[in-house]
């Protein structure tokens, strides 16, 4: 994978004929005690630089990949206006990357938590992606999506999937249960790399890469 571009809230790479962006929707600060060892034992210490008093900062990221201007797919869409004002900035990140929001025709959701689905609407209530035609979602995550009444207009676009389903020749759905019902990863095979977009498998890299038993 080769570096393409970087800005304050974006990182672009190239793999084969694919362009891949990491797009920041913002962040949320949560109590450090949210990190737990097996058997629900509280984590009392978190490595610098993630620790600020008793809080850990969790980044909220979305990912986009583009195959020669076609097959442009967005993985997750952020929090919209549903949570803290530190989130809901996907539209700004896409502008930094010079990505037209109207070019997004498919969103693939990793799961149905609010900071992954509510970005279908911008913080001021507009449809974020005017040409959206399909929302891929794990079959067991549909119930969680339907429980969000302000997203009712998007229900006809839902396309339930299961692990092992192939969204296209280059994209495979991978079931990664545990964090949320119907939690789905997406494996992109570019011909040069296999890249798994996993959504909340790792919340605090500084702590969890050193101690992967932390959840």
């Amino acid at each position: 994978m080769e570096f393409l571009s970087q800005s304050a809230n974006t990182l672009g790479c190239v793999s084969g004929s694919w362009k891949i962006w990491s797009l920041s929707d913002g962040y949320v600060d949560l109590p450090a005690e949210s990190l737990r060892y097996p058997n629900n034992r509280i984590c009392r210490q978190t490595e610098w630089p993630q620790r600020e008093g008793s809080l850990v900062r969790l980044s909220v990221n979305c990912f986009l990949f583009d195959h020669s201007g076609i097959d442009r797919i967005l993985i997750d869409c952020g929090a919209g206006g549903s949570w803290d004002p530190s989130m809901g900035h996907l539209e700004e990140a896409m502008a930094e990357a010079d990505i037209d929001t109207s070019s997004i025709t498919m969103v693939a959701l990793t799961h149905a938590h609010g900071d992954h689905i509510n970005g279908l609407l911008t913080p001021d209530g507009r449809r974020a992606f005017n040409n959206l035609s399909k929302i891929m979602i794990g079959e067991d995550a549909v119930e969680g999506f339907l429980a969000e009444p302000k997203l009712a207009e998007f229900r006809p676009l839902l396309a339930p999937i299961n692990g092992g389903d192939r969204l296209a020749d280059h994209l495979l759905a991978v079931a990664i249960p545990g964090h949320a019902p119907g939690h789905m990863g997406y494996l992109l095979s570019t011909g040069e790399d296999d890249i798994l977009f996993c959504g909340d498998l790792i919340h605090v890299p500084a702590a969890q890469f050193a101690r992967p038993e932390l959840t």
Side-chain angles (χ1 to χ4, degrees):
M1 189 179 299
E2 299 178 3
F3 173 81
L4 176 65
S5 64
Q6 186 172 12
S7 67
N9 297 294
T10 74
L11 176 67
C13 298
V14 176
S15 177
S17 57
W18 294 85
K19 294 180 180 178
I20 301 163
W21 285 271
S22 173
L23 303 165
S24 173
D25 187 63
Y27 65 88
V28 59
D29 291 329
L30 292 179
E33 289 76 13
S34 298
L35 281 170
R36 299 297 179 98
Y37 285 106
N39 301 318
N40 207 33
R41 184 163 58 90
I42 294 173
C43 175
R44 297 292 186 185
Q45 184 176 358
T46 305
E47 289 85 347
W48 181 263
Q50 294 290 340
R51 178 164 186 162
E52 295 182 6
S54 62
L55 299 176
V56 287
R57 178 157 293 182
L58 279 59
S59 60
V60 180
N61 300 309
C62 308
F63 299 90
L64 183 145
F65 43 89
D66 182 340
H67 186 222
S68 303
I70 59 175
D71 296 332
R72 183 171 273 182
I73 299 174
L74 182 67
I75 306 294
D76 290 335
C77 53
S82 66
W83 208 345
D84 294 346
S86 58
M87 292 178 281
H89 302 289
L90 176 60
E91 188 176 34
E92 300 161 35
M94 293 180 71
E96 286 182 23
D98 198 26
I99 298 168
D100 184 355
T101 57
S102 65
S103 70
I104 305 301
T105 58
M106 181 188 296
V107 170
L109 300 173
T110 59
H111 57 293
H113 287 169
D115 54 332
H116 294 256
I117 66 173
N118 284 321
L120 291 167
L121 295 172
T122 64
D124 58 2
R126 293 176 289 109
R127 283 186 72 135
F129 314 108
N130 289 329
N131 292 318
L132 187 64
S133 61
K134 185 179 290 188
I135 301 172
M136 313 301 293
I137 184 172
E139 187 172 2
D140 290 342
V142 170
E143 183 178 357
F145 189 100
L146 298 180
E148 193 61 69
K150 64 183 175 183
L151 298 181
E153 65 183 282
F154 297 101
R155 292 173 183 173
L157 303 184
L158 295 181
I161 56 174
N162 290 289
D165 288 350
R166 190 165 289 279
L167 280 63
D169 290 343
H170 51 269
L171 190 63
L172 181 71
V174 180
I176 47 175
H179 175 69
H183 195 165
M184 200 68 60
Y186 297 95
L187 182 66
L188 175 67
S189 299
T190 68
E192 291 186 1
D193 300 289
D194 292 330
I195 306 162
L196 179 65
F197 302 86
C198 52
D200 285 356
L201 184 65
I202 299 167
H203 286 90
V204 186
Q208 289 177 282
F209 277 124
R211 291 179 287 171
E213 71 275 18
L214 282 173
T215 62

